[in-house]
Amino acid sequence: MATSPWTPLLEELKRALAAHDRASTNAAVQKLLDQRAPLGQQWRSVCELMRISGEYTLAHRAMDSFIAAVGSSPQALYSKVVLLTQTGRMREAYDCIAKLPADVPDRAGHAYVLGNVAMTLGRVEEARERLETAVKYRPGWGPAWLTLVSAVNLANDPLGEQLLADGPAAEKQGPADLARYFYALGKLHVDRKDPDAAFAAYDRGAKLLKQETPYSRTGNKNIATSAMSGYPDGMIERFNARKQRDTSRPIFVTGLPRSGTTLIEHILASHSEVADGAELNIVQHLAVQAGGVSGEALESYFAKGGSPDALAQLYLHLLEERFGPNGRIVDKTIDAGRFFGLVATALPDAPLIWMRRDPLDSAWSCLRTFFIHGVGWSYDLADIAHHFQIEDALLAFWKARLGERLLVVPYAEFVEAPETWTRTLLAHCGLEEESAVHRSHTTDRVVLTASALQVRKPINRDGLNVAAPYRRHLQPFVDLYYGEGQVVPGTR
């Protein structure tokens, strides 16, 4: 049997994947694309491989090859829409699906994607119209309801009654979609100021997700412990002295979810020198390259011929894959404290910012938020308390280790004195004063997190003391986080 002329390249790709060799994997895919290998439907798998590894240029080229191979069918073009949303290219995603027939992938799904993307673009009225169409075609559909209610005060809006009426239809969904419906229902009861009903709805949604999402307290703690291991005084500075390139392009903003990180990202992204920002999650690729997050893993990686510059080059390459070559970028990766050893070593010029919010407000906000990528600890008050304690330990460790390089921003203080704190942020990031950052709510940009609508409002105190009406329900968190019998600060 004759050997296909593409067999050697495919074998090269397999060997590179088996060896976890990023450069060789990319090179093999590049050759297959350049030589227009007839891989047919397999191009979709190649696309997904490249997307997961953060190689967005190759991912989009592979998707185009897949579409060409299957004849540019509407369903294939919808696959491109999905890729565009996954890689943060929301305006292109909107334009692409808007050109497809209204029944692709189906009428409800078509309206939902248009509505969801419109919401991220800040087109709230259009989003509502699209999402109402989605639940018309698929009554009780949790994902559509969840996005729809985020833009509406349901206290007196007739949409609230429609949401309640959709309950029986919602109960016929699978656990993941049903959970989303209950998160939407919780929002209804929050707007109607019924804390008992609100907590019950969120709690049921969280319990459904907890069944679907494995979570290990031990695993979480072990990762954090490793992240704080092997970084004696002088180690990071020793490797920083070997810096070979400017690494100031990224600005890291981290902290617990719902702690104000999106607000800080949006303020900084309003500056003329800052091109954009998002929850990038690309530092994990540095951990793969280095073989872990501990100082011991770094020392071993360097002993085998690796270098801080190689890690910096990888990070900056993946940043450019997402945002192009120009402008500074806010990396708002949640749990970035678990990678700060890698970041501080490989990217010595990158500013580091950690947001802090009242723990009880944070706990309630995390419990009531549906996190699209799944946050296993957020479905249970005891797990939330455990995770918060781990984050406290990480913050204390890195603040002691990094000193002034790590700026801690208390959310409550920020919203009480936004101009003062914004100037502090600018100085920490090496940015000049500009008026746009003080009116960031007018900045037109894509925001992909649950805070997309909040950051389009002027800075306010609405996020303070939000847990107060739910204090009784949050007692399990209070007992585990503060200790039984302890008085919670601010609740006397």
Side-chain angles (χ1 to χ4, degrees):
M1 181 181 294
T3 302
S4 164
W6 312 109
T7 299
L9 280 180
L10 291 172
E11 291 301 320
E12 180 182 331
L13 176 58
K14 290 178 183 177
R15 287 193 299 271
L17 288 171
H20 304 288
D21 185 333
R22 173 184 285 269
S24 296
T25 297
N26 293 349
V29 172
Q30 181 89 39
K31 291 175 187 175
L32 288 165
L33 286 165
D34 290 346
Q35 297 181 31
R36 299 182 180 181
L39 301 187
Q41 298 259 1
Q42 288 181 299
W43 277 122
R44 190 167 182 176
S45 298
V46 174
C47 169
E48 184 65 3
L49 172 67
M50 293 294 96
R51 182 192 70 80
I52 290 172
S53 66
E55 300 291 345
Y56 287 177
T57 299
L58 294 175
H60 282 283
R61 286 190 63 190
M63 176 57 70
D64 290 341
S65 295
F66 164 71
I67 291 170
V70 299
S72 299
S73 69
Q75 291 296 337
L77 290 170
Y78 179 72
S79 297
K80 182 172 184 176
V81 172
V82 174
L83 177 63
L84 288 167
T85 62
Q86 291 172 329
T87 55
R89 293 162 63 169
M90 291 299 181
R91 290 186 174 88
E92 292 178 62
Y94 182 92
D95 292 341
C96 187
I97 193 169
K99 296 174 183 176
L100 294 178
D103 59 352
V104 175
D106 55 67
R107 291 193 176 275
H110 187 91
Y112 168 70
V113 174
L114 279 171
N116 224 31
V117 175
M119 192 70 78
T120 67
L121 297 175
R123 304 172 188 172
V124 176
E125 292 185 7
E126 179 190 350
R128 175 169 179 165
E129 179 182 350
R130 300 284 191 185
L131 293 164
E132 286 189 37
T133 299
V135 295
K136 171 187 173 183
Y137 284 114
R138 196 180 299 179
W141 192 23
W145 270 117
L146 184 62
T147 305
L148 178 54
V149 303
S150 68
V152 182
N153 187 322
L154 298 169
N156 299 301
D157 194 297
L159 201 61
E161 295 306 311
Q162 183 182 344
L163 174 62
L164 290 169
D166 265 11
E171 293 283 359
K172 298 176 183 178
Q173 301 177 101
D177 285 357
L178 180 58
R180 289 166 170 85
Y181 173 83
F182 278 106
Y183 278 82
L185 191 63
K187 169 65 163 55
L188 166 69
H189 294 307
V190 167
D191 289 348
R192 292 185 173 182
K193 302 188 185 309
D194 186 343
D196 292 342
F199 185 87
Y202 287 122
D203 187 54
R204 182 169 177 196
K207 282 182 168 61
L208 285 166
L209 293 175
K210 187 175 175 67
Q211 294 173 5
E212 298 286 302
T213 308
Y215 171 69
S216 168
R217 288 193 193 181
T218 301
N220 190 1
K221 185 175 181 179
N222 288 345
I223 292 171
T225 300
S226 179
M228 296 183 281
S229 172
Y231 290 101
D233 289 347
M235 175 195 167
I236 292 174
E237 292 76 11
R238 172 164 50 94
F239 289 115
N240 286 170
R242 296 164 55 181
K243 184 184 76 167
Q244 298 182 36
R245 66 186 69 223
D246 178 12
T247 60
S248 64
R249 189 182 188 199
I251 300 170
F252 285 86
V253 178
T254 194
L256 288 165
R258 315 296 292 147
S259 64
T261 54
T262 302
L263 173 62
I264 302 305
E265 170 207 322
H266 197 61
I267 289 170
L268 292 172
S270 300
H271 195 282
S272 62
E273 293 182 23
V274 181
D276 211 337
E279 291 182 8
L280 301 183
N281 299 309
I282 59 176
V283 288
Q284 61 184 308
H285 296 294
L286 273 65
V288 173
Q289 182 90 347
V293 295
S294 68
E296 293 91 345
L298 269 179
E299 292 279 18
S300 176
Y301 168 71
F302 296 147
K304 295 174 183 176
S307 69
D309 188 64
L311 294 176
Q313 185 177 18
L314 173 59
Y315 180 90
L316 294 171
H317 163 68
L318 294 176
L319 202 64
E320 186 169 338
E321 282 289 289
R322 176 72 180 265
F323 295 102
N326 301 317
R328 298 183 70 183
I329 302 297
V330 180
D331 186 332
K332 200 183 72 65
T333 298
I334 299 299
D335 289 342
R338 287 160 169 73
F339 302 91
F340 267 9
L342 299 178
V343 170
T345 301
L347 305 166
D349 305 316
L352 308 175
I353 299 164
W354 195 304
M355 290 297 297
R356 287 282 291 171
R357 187 183 180 192
D358 173 77
L360 200 60
D361 283 347
S362 286
W364 168 239
S365 295
C366 287
L367 183 70
R368 63 169 291 191
T369 299
F370 177 85
F371 296 105
I372 191 167
H373 296 298
V375 178
W377 55 260
S378 70
Y379 308 136
D380 179 278
L381 288 169
D383 289 339
I384 291 174
H386 183 261
H387 180 76
F388 280 23
Q389 289 172 335
I390 291 174
E391 288 292 299
D392 289 349
L394 281 163
L395 174 56
F397 176 83
W398 288 118
K399 187 59 183 171
R401 184 64 188 78
L402 299 174
E404 293 184 358
R405 185 175 173 192
L406 176 59
L407 175 66
V408 180
V409 180
Y411 175 79
E413 292 183 23
F414 187 93
V415 299
E416 295 288 3
E419 289 190 8
T420 300
W421 271 103
T422 296
R423 292 190 180 97
T424 299
L425 284 170
L426 295 178
H428 186 70
C429 298
L431 297 168
E432 297 293 329
E433 174 80 11
E434 287 185 357
S435 61
V437 297
H438 295 291
R439 43 181 173 79
S440 59
H441 60 284
T442 65
T443 300
D444 180 20
R445 57 183 290 267
V446 175
V447 181
L448 300 176
T449 70
S451 302
L453 297 177
Q454 289 95 318
V455 299
R456 293 189 169 99
K457 300 176 183 178
I459 295 172
N460 56 68
R461 303 175 73 254
D462 291 351
L464 301 180
N465 206 29
V466 295
Y470 309 92
R471 174 66 175 75
R472 176 172 64 86
H473 297 289
L474 299 174
Q475 193 61 42
F477 170 83
V478 171
D479 289 342
L480 288 164
Y481 182 77
Y482 292 100
E484 290 190 37
Q486 298 297 311
V487 176
V488 179
T491 63
R492 288 181 183 273

